[in-house]
Amino acid sequence: MPVPNNNSQPPAAWCYSGNQIKRWRTLANVSREALATAANYAPETISSMERGVRMPSPRLLDIADELCGAQGMLSAAKEYVRRERYSARAVDFIEREREATSLWTYEVALVPGLLQTRAYAKALIDNRIPPLDEETVEERVTARMERQTILTARKPPVGLSFVLYEAVLRSQLVDEEQLQRLLEVSRLRNVVLQVLPFDKAFANALEGPMVLLEGPDHDRCAFMEGGLASEFSADPGVVSRVTERLSMIRTRALDPDETARLIERMVGRRE
């Protein structure tokens, strides 16, 4: 199954629903400003939704439906846009994650989504520039929490290996609740959690997060993310390089017992 290197296009459901809002609004002779006032959004936000750049919120769809006399045609789109609760860059990755039989994850700055508390996830998602509207924030936080069913709900269990650079744990965003969550997950039989200490890091380990996924047919994909771009590839050369890099990182990281003791000490200092 071929995998695109990136997913920079907005989800089709966003684009189609936004286009329909604009068409119904124009047909009903409702200005963008009038719709913005009725929905309590800025006109620029309505424009973004109509262009598919931002997810049309369920509330906007209902208000536009009533204001434009769409007789349920716009409200019906809520079922479909709610399915697109991830950023355009993440859609391909999430689909592969759902099918994965094993994942190796390395994070250099943030707690991985599968290990985040709800409070930590909301702090990250709600602190974007440009900011997301409140409904989109809640949708994405809920979606991130639902992804965590992979930790315990799959049978047979998914093999999960996480390595966190020490800087992840030292962040001000990581509170006692988040540290306790890491300890809780680390006790699962199908999870290995390690920390790469500052003094064991090497240049390639500081370049950014990486994930290696293996599917039911033993096919592997690699995901690498940067600030403005990400790469998701099944190319054997890319997969081989990511596998080599992750293997080296795991070798230099603290073992799971040492990692648990480190986190426990950090919890003690924050109590």
Side-chain angles (χ1 to χ4, degrees), residues 14-266:
W14 297 12
C15 296
Y16 182 76
S17 299
N19 179 269
Q20 289 299 301
I21 292 171
K22 183 177 181 179
R23 287 176 179 272
W24 279 99
R25 180 176 60 73
T26 302
L27 185 64
N29 198 29
V30 174
S31 69
R32 182 174 292 132
E33 289 71 21
L35 178 56
T37 298
N40 196 28
Y41 284 121
E44 294 78 12
T45 300
I46 301 297
S47 176
S48 295
M49 292 182 183
E50 289 183 344
R51 289 182 286 116
V53 175
R54 177 176 294 191
M55 184 189 82
S57 70
R59 178 165 60 88
L60 177 70
L61 287 164
D62 282 339
I63 291 172
D65 191 282
E66 181 178 353
L67 195 62
C68 301
Q71 300 181 345
M73 298 294 287
L74 291 176
S75 292
K78 290 187 293 184
E79 176 185 356
Y80 301 95
V81 297
R82 278 178 173 150
R83 294 175 184 170
E84 305 286 5
R85 295 180 297 175
Y86 307 101
S87 66
R89 293 168 56 189
V91 172
D92 286 334
F93 174 78
I94 296 301
E95 288 300 318
R96 278 304 181 100
E97 184 182 78
R98 290 188 182 120
E99 301 173 353
T101 57
S102 70
L103 286 90
W104 290 10
T105 299
Y106 171 67
E107 270 289 352
V108 69
L110 303 172
V111 174
L114 295 179
L115 306 182
Q116 293 174 7
T117 63
R118 187 176 188 90
Y120 184 98
K122 185 168 185 179
L124 291 181
I125 294 171
D126 200 22
N127 190 23
R128 300 291 182 95
I129 299 175
L132 301 172
D133 62 83
E134 186 174 337
E135 286 165 299
T136 300
V137 170
E138 287 302 318
E139 285 276 348
R140 292 193 180 180
V141 170
T142 299
R144 185 164 298 182
M145 295 299 100
E146 289 176 359
R147 283 174 55 205
Q148 296 182 4
T149 59
I150 194 175
L151 296 169
T152 57
R154 296 267 295 274
K155 299 189 182 304
V158 180
L160 299 162
S161 172
F162 300 95
V163 182
L164 312 182
Y165 184 46
E166 186 175 349
V168 174
L169 302 181
R170 303 295 179 183
S171 167
Q172 293 298 313
L173 288 175
V174 176
D175 58 11
E176 181 183 342
E177 180 188 20
Q178 181 62 73
L179 291 172
Q180 292 285 10
R181 175 60 176 163
L182 294 176
L183 287 173
E184 174 188 340
V185 173
S186 72
R187 299 185 186 108
L188 297 174
R189 295 178 61 190
N190 59 314
V191 174
V192 174
L193 177 64
Q194 298 174 263
V195 169
L196 178 68
F198 288 130
D199 61 357
K200 297 292 185 180
F202 56 102
N204 291 138
L206 304 178
E207 291 178 354
M210 296 171 283
V211 182
L212 188 67
L213 303 92
E214 183 169 332
D217 297 324
H218 305 293
D219 53 320
R220 288 188 168 189
C221 299
F223 181 78
M224 294 151 289
E225 188 170 10
L228 298 176
S230 58
E231 181 181 5
F232 190 23
S233 176
D235 179 85
V238 174
V239 171
S240 177
R241 289 193 297 274
V242 171
T243 302
E244 180 180 13
R245 192 171 297 178
L246 284 172
S247 297
M248 180 62 71
I249 289 171
R250 291 176 71 184
T251 299
R252 295 197 177 195
L254 301 177
D255 68 36
D257 289 339
E258 292 171 323
T259 293
R261 288 193 291 271
L262 171 63
I263 297 174
E264 287 167 354
R265 291 194 299 271
M266 294 182 69

